Amino acid sequence: KQWYQRRVRGRDSDVPQPNWYRLKTGQKIPAIGYGTGAPKGSIDHPYLNTREALNRGYKLLDTAVLYGNEAQVGKAVRESKWSRSAVFLVDKILASEIVTGGGEMQERARETIRGCLERLNVEHIDLLMIHDTFELSENLDALTVIWRVMEEFVQTGSVLSLGLSHAEMATLEHVHSIATVPVSAIQNLFNPVDYDVAVYKYCRSKEIIIMGFGITGDYHVAEGLPNPILNSNLISSLAALYSTSQHLILYNWAAQMGVIPIIRTQRVSHMRENLEYRDVFLNPHHMALLNGLIS
C-alpha cells in the first residue's frame, strides 16, 4: 500500500506531473483551474469564492457570459495578491445569442467580446472560447464568422488565445481548416465514463490543450442524472488503496491523461485539498482500469 502512495511533488522526476502546459501561441497555461460557475441550486458568492481560490494558489480562472459573474471574477483578479500576468483568465461567449440576435452577426460578436472585456475590466483575456460550440455543428458558416471576429481581438492584443468548449469533431475540423489563429484549447466534459474519445485523440495529435469539466460527475448531477463517477466501486476502492479522496483519484487520472482539471467548489477545505492531486500518482495498471470504464 505504501508503494502506491508515492509522494511525487518535486521528488520523482520521472513522474509527468507538470505545473503548466504551453499553448500554440506560446502562452503558459496552469495545469489545474478553478471553475467560477456555481452548481445549480447553490448559493453563489463569485467574488468571495474567486478571491479565496486565488489566495489558495489557483492561477487559472474559468468564467463565462453564461455564468453572469464576469464582473465579480475580474474584481477578484484585480484585487488579488497576484499580478495580472500571473493569472490565466478564461472567458466563454455564447454563440447561440450571437446567431439569433438582431442586426449583423459580425457586429453582435464584436459587441459580445467587448462586453466581456468591459465586465471583467481587464486589459486582456488570456483564452477566449465559444461556449456552446455544439450549437454550430450544423451552421459552420456562422462558426466561421464568429471565429474571424475572435481573431480580430487577437490581432489587437485584447485576447491572446482562442478555443472551443463543448467541441465536436465537425467543429474542430472546420475551425482547423479556416483559422488563421489556431485552436489552442478545448473545454469538454471529461471523466472516466463519459468523454469523446475521437475528440480527445484528435486534440492530442494536434497539440490542442484539453480542459476537462465534470470530472467528478457533477455535470451529470446538474442534469438530474445519478452520479456515475462517485458511485463507482472501482474509484472508491482506489481511493481507499491510495488513502486519499475519490476526487483526487479522478483529478490525477485526468492529469495523467494530459487534461487540465477545471475544479468547481465553494468549500475552502476542498479548494486546498484539490491542489494536492499530484501528491498521489496512479500506477499504469490502475490508469488502465479507469480507462476501461469508458463506454
Side-chain angles (χ1 to χ4, degrees), residues 77-98:
V77 170
R78 294 191 306 275
E79 295 179 358
S80 77
K81 63 183 179 180
W82 307 109
S83 66
R84 176 63 188 89
S85 61
V87 179
F88 193 98
L89 193 54
V90 180
D91 203 353
K92 303 188 291 293
I93 59 176
L94 283 170
S96 54
E97 291 186 353
I98 295 171

Side-chain angles (χ1 to χ4, degrees), residues 3-183:
W3 183 81
Y4 294 125
Q5 296 170 261
R6 299 175 65 180
R7 308 294 290 186
V8 301
R9 183 177 297 157
R11 298 184 186 182
D12 294 342
S13 59
D14 61 317
V15 176
Q17 298 286 293
N19 291 318
W20 50 267
Y21 298 94
R22 194 175 293 279
L23 298 174
K24 290 184 176 182
T25 53
Q27 288 175 279
K28 290 181 178 180
I29 181 170
I32 188 171
Y34 179 72
T36 65
K40 288 182 180 179
S42 64
I43 299 174
D44 191 17
H45 302 286
Y47 167 72
L48 296 176
N49 294 335
T50 305
R51 186 181 68 178
E52 192 61 48
L54 287 164
N55 289 339
R56 295 292 169 183
Y58 289 86
K59 301 289 187 65
L60 189 166
L61 300 177
D62 176 67
T63 186
V65 172
L66 180 65
Y67 303 159
N69 62 13
E70 292 161 302
Q72 296 94 323
V73 170
K75 180 182 178 187
V77 170
R78 294 191 306 275
E79 295 179 358
S80 77
K81 63 183 179 180
W82 307 109
S83 66
R84 176 63 188 89
S85 61
V87 179
F88 193 98
L89 193 54
V90 180
D91 203 353
K92 303 188 291 293
I93 59 176
L94 283 170
S96 54
E97 291 186 353
I98 295 171
V99 171
T100 59
E104 197 258 337
M105 191 187 303
Q106 283 180 314
E107 191 52 39
R108 289 198 303 274
R110 293 186 186 106
E111 290 174 0
T112 297
I113 299 170
R114 291 190 200 109
C116 294
L117 289 160
E118 289 171 4
R119 288 187 295 273
L120 288 165
N121 193 13
V122 294
E123 291 183 358
H124 71 270
I125 296 168
D126 293 283
L127 175 62
L128 180 67
M129 314 185 88
I130 299 175
H131 201 160
D132 50 347
T133 307
F134 61 90
E135 295 281 1
L136 301 176
S137 59
E138 296 183 3
N139 191 355
L140 298 178
D141 288 342
L143 176 56
T144 299
V145 170
I146 296 171
W147 193 264
R148 289 283 182 249
V149 172
M150 293 165 69
E151 291 178 329
E152 291 176 10
F153 284 81
V154 173
Q155 298 304 320
T156 64
S158 52
V159 170
L160 302 188
S161 294
L162 303 179
L164 302 171
S165 182
H166 296 271
E168 300 172 338
M169 284 302 302
T171 49
L172 271 170
E173 291 178 334
H174 177 73
V175 173
H176 179 73
S177 70
I178 61 97
T180 58
V181 177
V183 178

Side-chain angles (χ1 to χ4, degrees), residues 218-280:
D218 56 306
Y219 187 80
H220 292 80
V221 174
E223 296 298 315
L225 302 171
N227 191 324
I229 311 300
L230 300 186
N231 292 330
S232 165
N233 290 331
L234 171 60
I235 294 169
S236 60
S237 297
L238 289 175
L241 181 62
Y242 284 82
S243 296
T244 191
S245 70
Q246 294 183 63
H247 288 70
L248 293 191
I249 291 292
L250 292 161
Y251 296 146
N252 188 266
W253 166 80
Q256 288 201 55
M257 293 288 285
V259 172
I260 297 174
I262 300 298
I263 294 170
R264 188 171 64 171
T265 182
Q266 295 176 307
R267 297 183 181 181
V268 174
S269 60
H270 288 177
M271 291 181 189
R272 181 172 55 249
E273 177 194 14
N274 292 336
L275 288 174
E276 299 174 358
Y277 73 100
R278 288 176 296 185
D279 283 356
V280 174

Side-chain angles (χ1 to χ4, degrees), residues 274-294:
N274 292 336
L275 288 174
E276 299 174 358
Y277 73 100
R278 288 176 296 185
D279 283 356
V280 174
F281 188 76
L282 297 170
N283 72 29
H285 174 64
H286 294 147
M287 285 292 298
L289 291 176
L290 288 171
N291 288 335
L293 294 176
I294 188 72

